[in-house]
């Protein structure tokens, strides 16, 4: 994933977003993404370090190596992360909460 961003979402934000969507009829039949924050894997490791109280280090692994790990779902996860890396801009944009909804939500957690 290198320096590519992943969309992270807090459970509380899912609820606030859903509530705001249900209150706005213009979103009926529409797909709405939800994201609290977009972080690189390095940034995620930094958050884990703070929360866990010990150093967490991100080590980039190529898709080919990750797919070879052999655990159930390794190939599927490889494809998912490859998609995120190759389509970062669209992926992050798709998950961004529309401003109309954000205004009704207040803010993200």
């Amino acid at each position: 994933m290198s320096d590519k961003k992943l969309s992270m979402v807090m459970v509380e934000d899912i609820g606030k977003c859903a509530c705001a969507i249900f209150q706005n009829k213009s979103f009926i039949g529409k797909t709405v993404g939800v994201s609290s924050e977009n972080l690189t894997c390095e940034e995620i490791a930094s958050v884990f370090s703070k929360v866990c109280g010990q150093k967490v280090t991100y080590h980039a692994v190529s898709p080919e190596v990750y797919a070879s790990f052999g655990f159930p779902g390794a190939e599927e996860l490889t494809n998912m992360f490859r998609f995120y890396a190759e389509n970062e801009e669209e992926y992050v944009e798709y998950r961004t909460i529309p401003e109309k909804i954000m205004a009704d939500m207040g803010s993200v957690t």
Side-chain angles (χ1 to χ4, degrees), residues 23 41 75 88-89 91 99 101 106:
Q23 294 177 30
C41 292
E75 289 184 33
E88 176 192 20
E89 189 174 314
Y91 167 71
E99 288 191 30
I101 294 173

Side-chain angles (χ1 to χ4, degrees), residues 10-87:
M10 299 275 299
V11 172
E12 293 88 351
D13 291 338
I14 296 170
K16 290 192 301 186
C17 186
C19 183
I21 290 168
F22 289 140
Q23 294 177 30
N24 188 328
K25 292 183 180 186
S26 70
F27 289 101
I28 292 173
K30 303 226 170 112
T31 300
V32 179
V34 62
S35 171
S36 302
E37 188 170 24
N38 300 306
L39 302 172
T40 66
C41 292
E42 289 281 349
E43 292 168 329
I44 294 168
S46 177
V47 170
F48 283 175
S49 293
K50 290 175 191 166
V51 171
C52 297
Q54 55 187 336
K55 179 75 174 153
V56 175
T57 305
Y58 167 69
H59 295 282
V61 177
S62 73
E64 295 74 27
V65 170
Y66 195 92
S68 74
F69 285 163
F71 63 85
E75 289 184 33
E76 289 81 359
L77 283 172
T78 299
N79 288 334
M80 179 183 73
F81 289 126
R82 181 181 290 126
F83 174 83
Y84 293 163
E86 292 174 357
N87 301 282

